[in-house]
């Protein structure tokens, strides 16, 4: 049970960091829009659009992770999300024909990559040193300086 809680906590923190990073990029982009809109539109509008899409995906994922500690349920969920984005990417598109779709597909690639990473994190076991701290057991050292 401790492994599940540890990996889910780690995943929640990772999602919070991803949301904060996307919001930071969006905030900086919007600040540049107020000074030189033409330059903003030419160089940063696509990043803001993708940022908004990614923020929405990450918030949905974070909401799901917040509601459960069941690792197997979360692995199935991320697997389903990854399959959806894999199928979506298989359709393909020409970037000039539909810019919004192309940007959305880039976000799908990112969410697919992230879901695979989230599933990997859920498979990790808590490091032994942390377990000993939680159990309040002292870390024993061997005479040769290595930890037991």
């Amino acid at each position: 049970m401790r492994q599940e809680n540890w990996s889910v906590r780690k995943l929640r923190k990772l999602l919070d960091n991803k949301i904060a990073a996307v919001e930071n990029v969006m905030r900086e982009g919007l600040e540049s829009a107020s000074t030189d809109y033409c330059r903003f539109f030419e160089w940063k509008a696509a990043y803001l659009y993708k940022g908004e899409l990614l923020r929405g995906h990450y918030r949905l994922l974070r909401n799901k992770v917040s509601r459960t500690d069941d690792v197997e349920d979360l692995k199935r969920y991320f697997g389903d999300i990854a399959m959806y984005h894999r199928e979506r990417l298989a359709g393909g598109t020409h970037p000039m024909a539909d810019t919004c779709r192309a940007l959305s597909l880039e976000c799908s690639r990112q969410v697919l990559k992230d879901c695979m990473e989230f599933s990997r994190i859920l498979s990790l076991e808590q490091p032994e040193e942390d377990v000993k701290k939680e159990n309040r057991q002292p870390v024993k050292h061997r005479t040769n300086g290595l930890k037991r």
Side-chain angles (χ1 to χ4, degrees):
M1 186 69 169
R2 289 216 180 271
Q3 182 264 332
E4 293 176 1
N5 291 334
W6 177 82
S7 60
V8 172
R9 281 194 312 266
K10 186 170 179 68
L11 181 58
R12 286 178 185 145
K13 184 174 181 174
L14 177 64
L15 281 165
D16 288 341
N17 290 341
K18 285 189 173 286
I19 291 169
V22 167
E23 287 177 345
N24 188 38
V25 167
M26 292 176 65
R27 186 174 27 263
E28 290 172 2
L30 289 173
E31 288 172 2
S32 70
S34 63
T35 58
D36 186 355
Y37 185 77
C38 289
R39 181 168 170 73
F40 156 78
F41 189 78
E42 184 176 356
W43 293 101
K44 297 189 179 182
Y47 291 112
L48 258 57
Y49 180 78
K50 288 182 349 185
E52 181 60 30
L53 290 175
L54 284 173
R55 182 172 62 174
H57 287 299
Y58 292 150
R59 283 181 174 171
L60 285 172
L61 296 173
R62 178 63 168 96
N63 189 12
K64 175 66 175 179
V65 172
S66 295
R67 291 189 318 241
T68 185
D69 282 338
D70 183 3
V71 171
E72 292 306 314
D73 181 41
L74 289 172
K75 284 182 180 180
R76 275 191 305 278
Y77 178 74
F78 289 128
D80 291 345
I81 297 292
M83 186 176 7
Y84 166 78
H85 286 285
R86 224 180 258 121
E87 290 170 0
R88 197 162 175 254
L89 289 168
T93 186
H94 188 277
M96 297 309 290
D98 186 355
T99 303
C100 290
R101 176 154 168 73
L103 295 172
S104 178
L105 288 174
E106 285 182 35
C107 289
S108 285
R109 284 185 195 97
Q110 182 66 43
V111 172
L112 171 61
K113 178 183 162 195
D114 290 335
C115 283
M116 301 304 283
E117 176 69 12
F118 299 155
S119 292
R120 187 191 68 76
I121 287 172
L122 289 169
S123 297
L124 295 176
E125 292 186 20
Q126 186 173 7
E128 188 175 323
E129 186 176 321
D130 292 342
V131 172
K132 288 185 177 186
K133 286 180 184 176
E134 285 183 11
N135 294 336
R136 300 200 187 276
Q137 294 176 356
V139 177
K140 298 178 182 177
H141 295 275
R142 295 183 177 165
T143 57
N144 62 1
L146 298 175
K147 295 180 184 177
R148 287 188 195 181

